[in-house]
Amino acid sequence: MTLDSKIPSGPLKDKWEKYKFEMKLVNAANKRKYKAIVVGTGLAGASAAASLAELGYVVEAFTYNDSPRRAHSIAAQGGINAAKNYPNDGDSIWRLFYDTIKGGDFRAREANVYRLAQVSNNIIDQCVAQGVPFAREYGGLLDNRSFGGAQVSRTFYARGQTGQQLLLGAYSALSRAIGKKQVTMHVRKEMLDLAIIDGKARGIVTRDLVNGKIESFWADAVILATGGYGNVFFLSTNAQACNVTASYRAYKKGALFANPCFTQIHPTCIPLSGEHQSKLTLMSESLRNDGRIWVPKNKGDKRRPNEIPEEDRDYYLERKYPSYGNLAPRDISSRSAKEVCDEGRGVSATGFGVYLDFADSIKRLGKKVIEERYGNLFEMYERIVGEDPYTTPMMIYPASHYAMGGLWVDYNLMSTIPGLHVLGEANFSDHGANRLGASALMQGLADGYFVIPYTIGDYFAKNKFDKVTTDHPEFKKVEAEVVEKTNKLLSIKGKKTPTMFHRELGKVMWEYCGMGRNEAGLKKALELVPKIREEFWQNLTITGEGNDLNISLEKAGRVADFLEFAEVLLWDALERDESCGAHFREEHQYPDGEAKRDDEHFAHVAAWEYTGVGKKPNRHTEPLVFENVQLAVRSYK
Amino acid sequence: MRLTLYIWRQNNAYDKGRMEKHQVNDVLEDMSFLEMLDVLNEKLILEGKEPVAFDHDCREGICGACSLTINGIPHGHEKATTTCQLHMRKFKDGDSIYIEPFRAKAFPVIKDLIVDRTAFDRIMQAGGFISINTGNAPEANGLPVSKKNADLSMDAAACIGCGACVAACPNGAAMLFVSAKVSQFALLPQGQPERKKRVLAMVNQMEKEGFGACTNFYECEAACPKQISVRFIAMMNRDYLCSRVTEPVEV
Ligand SMILES: Cc1cc2nc3c(=O)[nH]c(=O)nc-3n(C[C@H](O)[C@H](O)[C@H](O)COP(=O)(O)OP(=O)(O)OC[C@H]3O[C@@H](n4cnc5c(N)ncnc54)[C@H](O)[C@@H]3O)c2cc1C
Ligand code: FES
């Protein structure tokens, strides 16, 4: 299979303009003849649904939450990047493009990333016009802060609740469209499969989470904006319900899954406290602007942090990366934390933690400034840990956070299934092997507000659509498969709950495919995961009925897909025999522990094709061509 | 610690519902309230019983999904804290805890502790937006906003839409929720063109949804996990009255 990325020809700077000029348009009066299904109403989905409705398309949107406002995007804290260069510190579209490519360790497509940087400024304009209350300076203009992986201040923020405010902005646009009856909104409905008719994605099959009803919905195109799969590790910073089902079902129907092993571990999360733990809470990376990360110099130093004098502290990021210091990119910061903890210098009850200390900043700027910047994060920390970070350094440790991998899409954001478009965290397109902070919000909104409204029109205009309804035999067939699976889950009546299996899977994934990976470990995991999956199908127990609100059934379905998907992720990690970005293969590192890329053999996207449960999927590649940047060893020293 | 839980169980919207007693042992201080319920649910599933259904997602106090009335108080007794952020170190060994859904006429129970809060969404659909199509926006810094107003607008925008204000209000009023949204926009220059229309439309929808009237109990502010101020209600009332006088009412 050749993967055609459909990147427009011509100079990088002109590609998007050229595309927009050359694409086919749908006449305004004809737009209402096309229907799009949008699954997911996080930043990417809500912005897409609203924008498509404004253009005149008929839109049906779906979420498993009780309201679009509760999507996982709501939890983003730190900020959103844009190349406005308001601080006059040397930023530009080119620099944002370059930082993103470099941050992704040269494993993303130049053309997509450049387009992202180009539209970044429009996003800020759009959000401000919607009434998003970004932080401002005394003069009334927008304030910026800096974030990991960048030396300029380009991050816009709304206290520690940027994701909330951006999502509420997109949700308000979506609400307006729903109120005008331009969008039909379905809440508490989970997509469980995709219907493909005559080779095109033509609809979805859903389960109503309140009454269990299995239903079909048809459309001329399907958009998945269903978020990332970080919960494959069980413990992560993601919301509880985040799952891989929508993407994985599309994969089983023929969409290729790209770079699943590119999973990001976030350096600043609250450390684990016990087996009961259901999630790991992120402490925004923006804290690294003013906090200094350290561990005791000596192994086994059990003194309280405030009793450890300067000379006995190791500010290891500042020491190893003098120019970026505490703002080194996420993968580097995470691995460095693991390194010092593995050396036995970790803090917290489990020994898996490092300090993030604000004492110097409080001295320099005053408590009030710090409170203004991070007040709500500090409160959150105190609530969870029971310690006051104004007086005692925070403890942090890395946790699974974000999925750079996702369904493969071309420049149009269309997967290998015609008509199936994928936006936001669910696609693989822009972050390469590592995402920079504050770039996910930017990408989700870029996809939804400024890319899909153009590219879907081109798809509609270039294709013929036979009339289909949900009576089509394909829908009936897919519905029957969904019902069968549900019944099967309910009928096992074994001895272990869905959560028990999920936790078991997560432990294997974190142990063998977390921050560091190696061949032997990955092979081991490839033996262990199928065993857990086999046991799952023999020994699962769930209670209640299929035709009712049933939380254990919902969970079981999601865990079942994670158990299959995990293997694809492991295969990808095994076959990518290099280190790059967040994918750290211990076999490939420089003497100082830096990731060692192998551009000769791996400067490509790996996209996996489904071949059957438990069978090794087929690996296809899309070569990455760098015409504008030089592949360099990523250095943050 | 060991706790005795009295939990509201209700099969569906038509069921009458009842309190059910459960004993949980081995509760750790570091657990969140929802993690404590997870432990109970795991036990129930293994005993072949149906787990207790409750809404939750982010477990970081931001999505607004979690919605338990704990010992009679929405989100429990801890100030400015959502249920998911409430930790068991705030309880004592041997405590009895009463757990019920957010109760209000406009929030019918769906199952157990899950209620239907889509009334909030419909209020938003009626007017909780600035009418701007994608692509129309002027340059972001073209319109300065005083820091004071921007900050105040953000104070209002911090609302997570959980509905604790409604559940806490003896009248089941949604004034705090609606006023937070109305004020967020009223404080910004971008919100001015539709300011009057918005407040009328949102209040009108609020009344249609069966929320009660505000009689200044201020229980809403006390229960709000984001400490949204009742000052916004006063602000909205002013806007509403002024708009009633000057704008033709569209219904
Ligand atoms: C704690 C935290 C902090 C973060 N902070 C930042 C930050 O500061 N800056 C930044 O840029 N990024 C940040 N991120 C990352 C960023 O928030 C996410 O990558 C981004 O919001 C994802 O948006 P999305 O629209 O793609 O998906 P989501 O917001 O995850 O939305 C997914 C949607 O799909 C729906 N859905 C999924 N599956 C189905 C199904 N089968 N059926 C029906 N509906 C379905 C869900 O209901 C939801 O509506 C953070 C992430 C976390 C976890
Ligand atoms: S679960 Fe999101 S606010 Fe409690």
Side-chain angles (χ1 to χ4, degrees):
Chain A
M1 189 184 299
T2 41
L3 289 167
D4 181 2
S5 59
K6 306 220 173 73
I7 294 171
S9 58
L12 186 64
K13 286 185 166 153
D14 304 333
K15 284 181 195 291
W16 183 227
E17 280 308 311
K18 181 168 179 289
Y19 177 94
K20 287 196 282 186
F21 178 68
E22 287 175 358
M23 70 180 185
K24 283 192 88 174
L25 296 174
V26 179
N27 174 308
N30 281 337
K31 289 207 173 85
R32 66 188 161 76
K33 294 183 187 151
Y34 293 98
K35 179 152 100 182
I37 279 177
V38 180
V39 188
T41 46
L43 284 177
S47 58
S51 305
L52 294 177
E54 286 161 11
L55 286 171
Y57 296 113
V58 177
V59 178
E60 284 201 59
F62 295 80
T63 169
Y64 55 59
N65 290 112
D66 69 320
S67 163
R69 69 178 295 148
R70 308 215 200 276
H72 165 61
S73 292
I74 200 97
Q77 302 170 351
I80 176 167
N81 286 330
K84 287 279 194 187
N85 192 32
Y86 287 153
N88 196 28
D89 57 359
D91 201 6
S92 62
I93 289 172
W94 187 269
R95 189 179 290 281
L96 175 53
F97 154 74
Y98 184 77
D99 285 351
T100 309
I101 287 276
K102 177 184 167 196
D105 217 0
F106 305 93
R107 290 294 175 264
R109 262 185 219 142
E110 280 187 345
N112 285 58
V113 176
Y114 194 81
R115 175 176 65 187
L116 175 66
Q118 277 176 308
V119 303
S120 67
N121 292 339
N122 302 83
I123 297 173
I124 302 304
D125 297 344
Q126 184 66 30
C127 296
V128 167
Q130 287 170 345
V132 169
F134 282 120
R136 289 180 182 264
E137 314 254 17
Y138 281 99
L141 302 181
L142 295 161
D143 190 21
N144 289 117
R145 55 163 65 140
S146 42
F147 238 69
Q151 287 173 307
V152 292
S153 278
R154 62 160 75 99
T155 305
F156 294 79
Y157 65 102
R159 286 195 197 141
Q161 292 127 275
T162 316
Q164 179 197 25
Q165 294 311 315
L166 296 175
L167 181 63
L168 293 182
Y171 162 69
S172 71
L174 176 61
S175 295
R176 172 173 166 243
I178 298 169
K180 288 164 103 178
K181 307 227 173 340
Q182 295 165 329
V183 173
T184 311
M185 184 70 223
H186 302 271
V187 298
R188 296 197 196 263
K189 271 205 171 92
E190 180 159 22
M191 165 186 167
L192 292 184
D193 219 329
L194 181 72
I196 299 175
I197 297 171
D198 297 331
K200 295 195 191 83
R202 291 306 298 271
I204 60 170
V205 172
T206 62
R207 178 170 181 273
D208 185 305
L209 299 183
V210 176
N211 60 24
K213 202 167 154 205
I214 307 293
E215 287 165 283
S216 293
F217 297 87
W218 71 269
D220 298 301
V222 176
I223 297 172
L224 296 188
T226 46
Y229 51 81
N231 277 344
V232 69
F233 292 97
F234 183 60
L235 286 178
S236 84
T237 61
N238 292 12
Q240 296 289 295
C242 290
N243 68 78
V244 77
T245 291
S247 300
Y248 191 73
R249 292 318 168 91
Y251 162 77
K252 281 181 107 168
K253 287 272 153 88
L256 299 200
F257 214 111
N259 299 335
C261 81
F262 290 168
T263 53
Q264 182 168 74
I265 309 296
H266 196 290
T268 53
C269 305
I270 299 180
L272 184 78
S273 74
E275 194 56 16
H276 60 269
Q277 195 135 348
S278 58
K279 84 164 286 172
L280 293 167
T281 304
L282 175 79
M283 288 282 103
S284 167
E285 176 167 35
S286 61
L287 292 167
R288 292 201 275 147
N289 266 309
D290 292 304
R292 297 179 68 196
I293 295 178
W294 63 276
V295 288
K297 249 193 199 133
N298 304 313
K299 235 165 105 164
D301 190 336
K302 289 280 171 249
R303 284 177 289 181
R304 304 262 317 142
N306 295 338
E307 290 162 5
I308 301 179
E310 268 316 289
E311 63 271 17
D312 289 342
R313 299 176 176 195
D314 179 12
Y315 295 90
Y316 55 89
L317 284 179
E318 294 171 25
R319 171 171 57 82
K320 283 170 35 187
Y321 308 99
S323 67
Y324 280 77
N326 295 299
L327 291 176
R330 291 181 172 173
D331 52 333
I332 292 181
S333 311
S334 295
R335 269 198 309 278
S336 303
K338 179 174 178 329
E339 232 172 75
V340 293
C341 292
D342 288 348
E343 288 165 15
R345 299 194 286 145
V347 299
S348 97
T350 57
F352 290 98
V354 300
Y355 290 124
L356 177 62
D357 195 338
F358 292 87
D360 284 348
S361 297
I362 293 176
K363 232 184 268 157
R364 185 163 41 93
L365 304 163
K367 188 177 165 192
K368 186 146 187 297
V369 175
I370 296 298
E371 194 177 332
E372 221 168 77
R373 287 188 189 161
Y374 313 110
N376 67 322
L377 296 172
F378 279 36
E379 272 172 40
M380 180 144 101
Y381 180 86
E382 187 172 357
R383 225 170 272 140
I384 295 173
V385 182
E387 283 181 351
D388 172 16
Y390 291 102
T391 54
T392 310
M394 276 185 184
M395 287 178 294
I396 53 166
Y397 198 67
S400 161
H401 177 58
Y402 182 85
M404 280 77 68
L407 290 177
W408 184 90
V409 289
D410 61 16
Y411 192 70
N412 299 297
L413 303 184
M414 189 155 91
S415 70
T416 46
I417 299 175
L420 181 72
H421 296 75
V422 191
L423 318 183
E425 192 172 338
N427 75 24
F428 88 106
S429 76
D430 297 351
H431 306 293
N434 176 50
R435 172 176 73 79
L436 292 183
S439 285
L441 301 182
M442 168 172 75
Q443 182 229 333
L445 291 179
D447 290 358
Y449 284 133
F450 297 109
V451 180
I452 195 71
Y454 295 94
T455 60
I456 208 162
D458 186 61
Y459 173 72
F460 285 146
K462 282 186 181 148
N463 285 279
K464 281 244 167 314
F465 297 90
D466 295 331
K467 177 98 192 119
V468 300
T469 66
T470 52
D471 294 329
H472 193 283
E474 181 62 20
F475 278 112
K476 295 296 154 215
K477 189 176 135 237
V478 178
E479 278 182 26
E481 285 163 10
V482 169
V483 171
E484 192 196 311
K485 183 173 171 192
T486 306
N487 290 342
K488 202 162 144 201
L489 288 169
L490 283 161
S491 67
I492 303 170
K493 306 231 181 288
K495 292 201 163 57
K496 279 163 78 172
T497 65
T499 304
M500 289 160 92
F501 287 105
H502 193 184
R503 189 181 290 124
E504 235 171 273
L505 172 70
K507 278 193 179 146
V508 171
M509 296 305 284
W510 183 247
E511 171 80 19
Y512 299 107
C513 200
M515 273 185 278
R517 302 158 175 187
N518 61 54
E519 186 181 332
L522 290 166
K523 287 189 167 154
K524 175 103 202 246
L526 276 166
E527 283 171 24
L528 294 174
V529 171
K531 286 196 186 125
I532 302 175
R533 191 176 58 236
E534 276 158 36
E535 197 200 336
F536 176 89
W537 286 106
Q538 281 157 18
N539 199 21
L540 172 77
T541 184
I542 50 182
T543 50
E545 308 293 326
N547 60 358
D548 188 10
L549 193 153
N550 188 332
I551 54 173
S552 57
L553 176 63
E554 280 165 36
K555 172 95 193 178
R558 293 167 189 165
V559 174
D561 287 333
F562 272 134
L563 283 167
E564 288 182 21
F565 167 71
E567 245 179 291
V568 189
L569 198 165
L570 291 168
W571 278 118
D572 190 43
L574 182 63
E575 302 261 309
R576 188 170 282 278
D577 195 12
E578 66 161 349
S579 292
C580 58
H583 172 62
F584 191 69
R585 281 286 299 265
E586 285 152 3
E587 301 94 325
H588 304 288
Q589 51 179 310
Y590 289 101
D592 60 357
E594 291 300 321
K596 193 172 179 183
R597 285 199 327 262
D598 177 356
D599 293 331
E600 196 189 329
H601 300 102
F602 290 99
H604 60 234
V605 177
W608 296 86
E609 181 191 2
Y610 179 71
T611 53
V613 180
K615 292 209 181 103
K616 186 180 172 189
N618 290 332
R619 188 175 192 270
H620 301 276
T621 58
E622 177 202 333
L624 290 167
V625 186
F626 294 94
E627 290 169 339
N628 300 278
V629 300
Q630 231 190 336
L631 272 78
V633 175
R634 208 171 54 137
S635 166
Y636 288 93
K637 290 225 148 117
Chain B
M1 52 179 125
R2 297 164 60 94
L3 301 169
T4 310
L5 307 177
Y6 296 89
I7 303 176
W8 183 259
R9 303 301 301 259
Q10 182 175 337
N11 295 340
N12 52 52
Y14 313 103
D15 182 22
K16 258 179 63 194
R18 70 223 161 265
M19 291 303 263
E20 204 175 78
K21 184 175 165 184
H22 292 278
Q23 193 67 41
V24 281
N25 308 325
D26 310 324
V27 175
L28 305 175
E29 290 210 325
D30 283 338
M31 286 180 181
S32 70
F33 198 85
L34 297 184
E35 283 167 350
M36 183 270 295
L37 287 181
D38 290 343
V39 171
L40 170 69
N41 276 346
E42 287 290 284
K43 190 177 106 185
L44 289 176
I45 297 174
L46 291 176
E47 289 169 0
K49 298 180 189 142
E50 264 207 78
V52 180
F54 57 89
D55 263 328
H56 66 106
D57 202 7
C58 73
R59 297 203 173 190
E60 309 196 346
I62 192 75
C63 75
C66 60
S67 44
L68 305 184
T69 301
I70 302 166
N71 291 335
I73 307 172
H75 293 306
H77 61 287
E78 188 70 7
K79 203 172 163 219
T81 304
T82 54
T83 302
C84 61
Q85 292 281 282
L86 179 62
H87 279 68
M88 297 316 292
R89 66 178 74 90
K90 305 289 176 182
F91 294 87
K92 289 191 309 291
D93 187 33
D95 275 358
S96 290
I97 307 178
Y98 291 79
I99 308 169
E100 290 170 87
F102 276 7
R103 295 207 187 271
K105 184 171 155 231
F107 292 165
V109 172
I110 294 176
K111 182 169 181 168
D112 294 344
L113 303 169
I114 297 183
V115 297
D116 179 349
R117 287 170 285 181
T118 49
F120 272 7
D121 295 292
R122 289 187 293 273
I123 295 174
M124 283 292 292
Q125 289 153 19
F129 46 79
I130 288 171
S131 297
I132 163 122
N133 283 355
T134 303
N136 271 341
E139 155 59 36
N141 257 351
L143 208 52
V145 183
S146 80
K147 181 162 161 51
K148 193 172 142 235
N149 276 1
D151 285 350
L152 209 54
S153 175
M154 180 62 219
D155 288 345
C159 168
I160 58 174
C162 64
C165 46
V166 177
C169 176
N171 305 335
M175 293 292 274
L176 195 62
F177 169 78
V178 179
S179 69
K181 203 71 211 171
V182 164
S183 304
Q184 175 196 343
F185 292 140
L187 283 157
L188 298 173
Q190 290 83 358
Q192 298 314 312
E194 295 169 291
R195 183 170 177 170
K196 293 179 177 172
K197 199 174 145 206
R198 177 180 309 115
V199 68
L200 292 177
M202 290 181 79
V203 169
N204 181 42
Q205 186 65 32
M206 175 181 85
E207 286 167 357
K208 269 198 211 158
E209 296 289 348
F211 290 102
C214 172
T215 48
N216 304 325
F217 280 106
Y218 299 155
E219 294 291 344
C220 50
E221 185 186 88
C224 176
K226 298 294 142 179
Q227 296 184 287
I228 309 278
S229 163
V230 290
R231 275 167 51 209
F232 293 122
I233 297 184
M235 222 165 128
M236 178 173 84
N237 282 337
R238 231 175 17 246
D239 260 22
Y240 180 75
L241 283 176
C242 163
S243 310
R244 272 300 285 274
V245 178
T246 55
E247 282 278 292
V249 191
E250 294 172 56
V251 182

